[in-house]
Amino acid sequence: MVRKVTIGGAQMGPIAPDESRDSCVARMIEMLREAASRGCDLVVFPELALTTFFPRYYEEDISRMDHWFETAMPNTATRPLFEAAAAAGIGFYLGYAELTPEGRRFNTSILVDGSGQITGKYRKIHLPGHSEFEPWRAFQHLEKRYFEPGDLGFGVWSQHAGLVGMAICNDRRWPETYRVMGLQGAELIVLGYNTPDTNTSEPEPNHLRMFHNHLVMQANAYMNACWVVGVAKAGVEDGCMLIGGSCIIQPSGEILARAATLEDELIVAVADLDACAAPRRGTFNLGRHRRVEHYGRIVRQAGIEIPADLSAAE
Ligand code: ING
């Protein structure tokens, strides 16, 4: 059986701080309609696709940020999106801020199938930025303040006749993200991102933002012989420029489709999931080539530990 999935990357332009969820959902439904007309089976929306990137704002009392979070999914604002997708028989990935009944806060994504059922949930594990107000920064990046690290691990789900994994934004910069899903057979990894175009930690040549964005997704698609789809929230949000560059990457590591604008823009490519098979028989036959007896540090250590005999020699 041929396993080809027509994938739509639904990049979104800026979401203003005062833009309603209804407006965001209407924009997403518009792209869903275009996706249906272009034969898409699956549409990938960005990270935190229902609101502006609110971790750029500092709030002493984080409960005053609750209005940026969803307490149910689907809910009144998002149900029209679920219904439009189900009517078109299109599955989708959606990123949003999750506030659980127990009061826990996560940067979350869901995978929804063509009948509008949620098949999978992921909570962002790698949270970048900082947790306290840092006045020297042009703008804040307070994901460590407003979200907990995800507690669901990196999972894969069966959808569109393949194995689909999810990640969110900063996760894409860490090889462990892809490898843990690759070791579960993930053939397609989908993720959304909000990436400011300036590094507020230290001066960095601006072109590196886009270079690193594609480098990490291309390299890890290749190293795990899987498709990777990265979809941006882009453009100037409340004075902060977010990079675009949404893309659909094949297991060879080559970019098959890429966004050209910083606006709402649908990119489309046909993903042959069986393209993962050849590299998995050869170069990236993980079981045949990996030597896990030498990889212990990767799970024992979070940070760098210089071997005692070397640090003594310093
Ligand atoms: N944003 C950025 C990202 O990882 C970042 C934060 C940018 C970290 C550049 C390091 C370098 O793309 C989110 N939301 O994770």
Side-chain angles (χ1 to χ4, degrees):
M1 167 182 106
V2 172
R3 297 186 303 136
K4 291 188 175 182
V5 186
T6 302
I7 299 174
Q11 174 177 289
M12 293 179 75
I15 297 177
D18 61 356
E19 185 166 349
S20 70
R21 285 176 173 70
D22 291 350
S23 168
C24 295
V25 167
R27 288 167 55 184
M28 289 193 266
I29 290 174
E30 189 61 35
M31 285 193 277
L32 206 60
R33 289 211 176 94
E34 180 186 347
S37 72
R38 295 173 68 180
C40 290
D41 303 301
L42 172 67
V43 171
V44 181
F45 292 110
E47 169 193 32
L48 296 176
L50 298 170
T51 65
T52 198
F53 186 73
F54 63 85
R56 75 168 75 89
Y57 306 122
Y58 177 77
E59 176 53 65
E60 179 61 32
D61 171 0
I62 63 171
S63 68
R64 291 169 56 87
M65 301 296 270
D66 284 356
H67 64 284
W68 298 115
F69 289 74
E70 312 304 322
T71 54
M73 189 55 70
N75 55 32
T76 309
T78 56
R79 201 172 310 286
L81 178 66
F82 280 70
E83 289 167 353
I90 292 176
F92 63 92
Y93 162 106
L94 177 69
Y96 62 94
E98 176 191 12
L99 176 58
T100 73
E102 304 76 32
R104 302 181 66 194
R105 294 170 172 79
F106 297 101
N107 187 339
T108 294
S109 68
I110 50 172
L111 186 63
V112 180
D113 69 16
S115 70
Q117 295 305 308
I118 295 174
T119 47
K121 176 186 271 192
Y122 170 71
R123 290 166 170 166
K124 186 175 184 179
I125 286 169
H126 299 99
L127 297 172
H130 44 103
S131 55
E132 298 305 324
F133 183 76
E134 296 182 350
W136 65 86
R137 293 178 187 274
F139 43 82
Q140 307 296 305
H141 194 117
L142 292 158
E143 292 195 59
K144 291 184 192 294
R145 184 177 189 82
Y146 299 129
F147 302 122
E148 286 182 47
D151 59 351
L152 302 176
F154 297 109
V156 298
W157 293 272
S158 177
Q159 192 163 304
H160 309 292
L163 292 171
V164 183
M166 289 191 276
I168 301 176
C169 204
N170 194 255
D171 288 320
R172 76 188 185 288
R173 300 181 192 277
W174 302 95
E176 295 86 352
T177 299
Y178 306 83
R179 186 44 53 91
V180 170
M181 288 187 273
L183 287 167
Q184 299 173 74
E187 295 164 308
L188 167 60
I189 293 173
V190 294
L191 63 94
Y193 60 88
N194 287 231
T195 301
D197 86 334
T198 48
N199 187 334
T200 60
S201 298
E202 57 273 332
E204 174 188 72
N206 190 259
H207 73 278
L208 289 180
R209 283 278 141 150
M210 191 59 78
F211 172 66
H212 290 153
N213 177 41
H214 290 147
L215 174 68
V216 293
M217 291 192 280
Q218 288 181 261
N220 283 283
Y222 166 63
M223 289 186 276
N224 291 280
C226 69
W227 291 82
V228 174
V229 180
V231 176
K233 169 109 80 47
V236 180
E237 273 194 355
D238 204 11
C240 171
M241 169 67 92
L242 301 172
I243 68 169
S246 302
C247 56
I248 298 171
I249 298 166
Q250 58 189 37
S252 67
E254 294 166 288
I255 293 177
L256 207 47
R258 175 178 170 164
T261 73
L262 293 174
E263 299 300 327
D264 291 9
E265 177 183 349
L266 184 76
I267 58 173
V268 177
V270 178
D272 178 357
L273 298 181
D274 291 326
C276 305
R280 292 184 183 188
R281 286 194 297 271
T283 306
F284 293 109
N285 180 329
L286 302 184
R288 182 156 179 264
H289 296 306
R290 293 181 72 244
R291 306 300 317 169
V292 293
E293 64 272 23
H294 296 293
Y295 302 164
R297 287 184 187 279
I298 292 176
V299 290
R300 282 199 308 272
Q301 294 176 215
I304 294 171
E305 293 174 21
I306 295 171
D309 59 324
L310 297 183
S311 47
E314 271 179 0

